[in-house]
């Protein structure tokens, strides 16, 4: 019988601290970049580092401040995850809960205790925590004082954070991801790395310097994780999604190839342990070569990741012809509109076969186990007068993607550790700051402006996913 998922396959859901936790000023927590990203039209310019916002401005609404208040409701929420039968729960640490400013010598005990309670709550139900060490957070003090990840000192502060986490949670957590969607830094550098576009700097060069620091920090984290507990498994993570050429013109294929390599570049370093030639050539050619220290090369070489985590929402389409320019939205980057695919309400192209192709490409390239840590459909849900939400569109999306993943495993032999559905409980959208872009199996009563009771309701997909997990992916109907 090989037409099934492996018996130890980790089914579950995923969230990130800044999009669900709230409690931004409680338990000694410091302010972070993710807190000062407002809802509304300025959001994008703040995230890409072109508009400086390092404090709250009462002209704006900041959705991360309260988010869905999981800080106070985590017990109720984890109980709901357990009811669905989750084997794994992917979540992230808010760095500024552990080190409020980021550069302190000693951690904040209240923050450490909070996550200990969360992990213990998971363990109570046999749920394995999968912890993203940084899901876009950077303490604001590290940005104001050091300029974010462009400063090499960030490696030391991150290392201190990792040491504390691995030691304190030894035995409670074994799966770690060093940076969420590390390739996001190229597109939204303030969100991903606390970088601001300054007049007197070449922003591209700054990005590559910050990337180098993150790559070295990730290798150091991997080293410490392995030294602290041999059962620790550490993963890198990219926002993935295969790029198709618009036509069979080799020039289009070449554009598609390069576009995919933009994301692979990070994994090439983290999984193989060295900068690939094409990247070195390009960085030299464009004057983007980062400063590297001798020890960095050794650290990268000796501390490659155990698994490759990815998010997948949509495929991409590219052309070499500048006149072909009809774009649609996608995770992180807009892409050409593919006439063979349907789109979500937010314009993201729905492509389950693209998921299978993406999984194959990553596995072919690295031959390391994959972990699908984000996949899902952002959609508007309507709650009827009886409190029911019939989200068949979400069930269909997930069903088709799970089938594609099953094919990748059974037909193609791709090794996959698990699958965590993004936003398993409704949370704040990273790109738009909206609440109405919902991904969850659990509905949260809150609107885009922050009104609502925060009450949780189970959607139709809640019962569907419960059955999927119960039957280990056999019953998808
Ligand atoms: C990824 C992020 C998540 C999440 C997801 C969905 O890029 O890692 O944090 O938000 O995309 O995107 P959005 O919230 O913009 O719909």
């Amino acid at each position: 019988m090989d037409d099934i998922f492996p018996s130890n396959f980790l089914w579950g859901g995923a969230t990130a601290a800044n999009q669900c936790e709230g409690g931004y000023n409680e338990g000694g927590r410091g302010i972070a970049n993710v807190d000062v990203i407002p809802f509304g039209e300025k959001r994008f310019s703040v995230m890409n580092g072109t508009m400086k916002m390092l404090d709250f401005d009462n002209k704006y609404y900041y959705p991360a401040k309260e988010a869905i208040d999981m800080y106070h409701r985590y017990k109720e929420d984890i109980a709901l995850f357990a009811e669905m039968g989750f084997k794994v729960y992917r979540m992230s640490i808010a760095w500024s809960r552990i080190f409020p400013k980021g550069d302190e010598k000693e951690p904040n005990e209240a923050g450490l205790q909070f996550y200990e309670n969360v992990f213990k709550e998971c363990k109570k139900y046999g749920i394995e925590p999968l912890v993203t060490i940084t899901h876009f957070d950077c303490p604001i003090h590290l940005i104001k004082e050091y300029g974010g990840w462009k400063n090499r000192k960030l490696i030391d502060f991150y290392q201190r954070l990792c040491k504390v986490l691995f030691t304190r949670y030894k035995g409670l957590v074994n799966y770690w991801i060093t940076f969420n969607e590390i390739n996001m830094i190229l597109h939204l550098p303030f969100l991903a790395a606390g970088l601001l576009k300054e007049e007197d700097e070449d922003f591209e060069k700054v990005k590559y310097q910050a990337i180098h620091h993150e790559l070295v920090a990730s290798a150091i984290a991997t080293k410490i994780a392995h030294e602290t507990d041999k059962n620790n498994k550490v993963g890198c993570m990219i926002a993935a999604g295969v790029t198709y050429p618009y036509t069979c013109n080799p020039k289009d294929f070449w554009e598609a190839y390069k576009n995919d390599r933009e994301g692979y570049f990070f994994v090439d370093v983290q999984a193989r342990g060295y900068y690939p030639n094409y990247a070195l050539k390009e960085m030299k050619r464009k004057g983007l070569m980062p400063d590297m220290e001798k020890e960095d090369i050794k650290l990268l070489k000796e501390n490659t990741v155990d698994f490759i985590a990815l998010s997948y929402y949509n495929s991409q389409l590219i052309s070499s012809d500048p006149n072909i320019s009809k774009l649609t939205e996608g995770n992180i980057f807009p892409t050409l509109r593919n006439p063979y695919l349907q789109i979500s309400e937010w314009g993201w192209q729905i492509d389950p076969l693209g998921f299978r192709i993406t999984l194959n490409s990553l596995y072919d390239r690295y031959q390391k186990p994959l972990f699908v840590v984000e996949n899902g459909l952002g959609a508007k849900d309507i709650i009827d007068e009886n409190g029911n939400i019939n989200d068949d569109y979400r069930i269909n999306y997930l069903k088709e993607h799970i089938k594609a993943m099953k094919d990748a495993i059974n037909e193609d032999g791709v090794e996959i550790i698990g699958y965590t559905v993004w936003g398993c409980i409704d949370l704040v959208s990273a790109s738009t700051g909206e609440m109405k872009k919902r991904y969850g199996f659990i509905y949260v009563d809150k609107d885009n402006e922050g009104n609502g009771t925060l009450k949780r309701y189970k959607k139709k997909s809640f019962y569907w996913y419960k059955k999927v997990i119960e039957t280990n992916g056999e019953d998808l109907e």
Side-chain angles (χ1 to χ4, degrees), residues 161-419:
L161 170 71
C162 290
K163 257 194 195 141
V164 166
L165 298 180
F166 300 149
T167 313
R168 175 70 174 244
Y169 304 128
K170 186 172 172 177
L172 277 174
V173 180
N174 282 126
Y175 287 97
W176 304 90
I177 291 172
T178 52
F179 290 91
N180 179 64
E181 296 188 333
I182 191 165
N183 49 332
M184 184 74 99
I185 188 171
L186 292 170
H187 304 270
L188 298 175
F190 179 72
L191 172 72
L195 303 179
L196 287 163
K197 190 171 183 336
E198 308 285 0
E199 288 293 306
D200 55 341
E201 282 178 343
D202 173 350
F203 205 25
E204 280 310 295
K205 191 160 168 51
V206 167
K207 282 185 209 169
Y208 277 85
Q209 189 62 59
I211 287 169
H212 179 68
H213 293 152
E214 289 196 353
L215 291 170
V216 172
S218 176
I220 295 176
T222 309
K223 181 174 194 291
I224 308 172
H226 290 156
E227 285 167 359
T228 314
D229 183 346
K230 62 176 182 5
N231 295 318
N232 274 334
K233 300 253 177 283
V234 184
C236 57
M237 181 192 167
I238 57 159
V242 59
T243 311
Y244 303 130
Y246 194 73
T247 69
C248 52
N249 182 341
K251 287 185 182 159
D252 285 353
F253 183 85
W254 181 231
E255 288 306 314
Y257 189 90
K258 285 190 295 184
N259 198 56
D260 279 344
R261 220 165 44 175
E262 190 189 282
Y264 291 150
F265 155 65
F266 296 85
V267 190
D268 284 352
V269 181
Q270 291 172 292
R272 294 168 169 168
Y274 54 91
Y275 277 86
N277 284 349
Y278 67 84
L280 292 170
K281 290 274 185 195
E282 187 175 343
M283 291 190 303
K284 255 191 212 138
R285 197 167 54 239
K286 295 186 172 164
L288 302 173
M289 196 59 142
D291 296 331
M292 299 188 193
E293 298 200 353
K294 232 185 172 174
E295 76 212 38
D296 298 352
I297 311 297
K298 190 166 181 289
L299 279 165
L300 294 175
K301 180 98 213 142
E302 289 175 357
N303 300 287
T304 54
V305 289
D306 303 303
F307 65 90
I308 292 153
L310 65 139
S311 62
Y312 176 85
Y313 293 92
N314 55 270
S315 56
Q316 300 175 67
L317 182 67
I318 207 162
S319 168
S320 57
D321 178 353
N323 296 318
I324 297 174
S325 56
K326 189 167 182 270
L327 292 176
T328 186
E329 289 304 317
N331 185 25
I332 315 185
F333 2 74
T335 177
L336 286 179
R337 180 75 180 92
N338 185 331
Y340 296 98
L341 301 175
Q342 302 212 311
I343 50 173
S344 78
E345 289 170 284
W346 271 264
W348 296 21
Q349 322 207 65
I350 301 174
D351 184 8
L353 181 55
F355 185 30
R356 179 173 174 184
I357 298 169
T358 302
L359 294 168
N360 272 278
S361 308
L362 282 167
Y363 192 66
D364 283 350
R365 194 168 175 113
Y366 304 110
Q367 301 284 300
K368 292 205 181 203
L370 307 181
F371 208 144
V372 180
V373 299
E374 285 187 34
N375 175 235
L377 179 73
K380 288 177 204 149
D381 290 329
I382 296 169
I383 180 158
D384 70 17
E385 61 285 1
N386 305 316
N388 295 325
I389 301 120
N390 289 314
D391 55 342
D392 290 310
Y393 35 90
R394 181 168 295 108
I395 294 174
N396 287 336
Y397 177 99
L398 294 172
K399 190 191 294 176
E400 293 310 314
H401 284 78
I402 292 174
K403 277 187 196 158
M405 178 170 63
K406 201 174 189 174
D407 288 343
I409 296 174
N410 291 313
E411 304 287 323
D412 312 326
V414 175
E415 254 179 290
I416 304 179
I417 303 171
Y419 175 75

Side-chain angles (χ1 to χ4, degrees), residues 16 18-19 90 135-136 180-181 184 237 239 311 313 331-332 348 374 378 422 427-432 437 439:
N18 76 88
Q19 290 166 264
R90 175 182 177 224
H135 193 122
F136 304 147
N180 179 64
E181 296 188 333
M184 184 74 99
M237 181 192 167
S311 62
Y313 293 92
N331 185 25
I332 315 185
W348 296 21
E374 285 187 34
W422 173 252
L427 38 64
V428 176
S429 156
S431 55
T432 69
K437 188 180 188 190
Y439 285 86

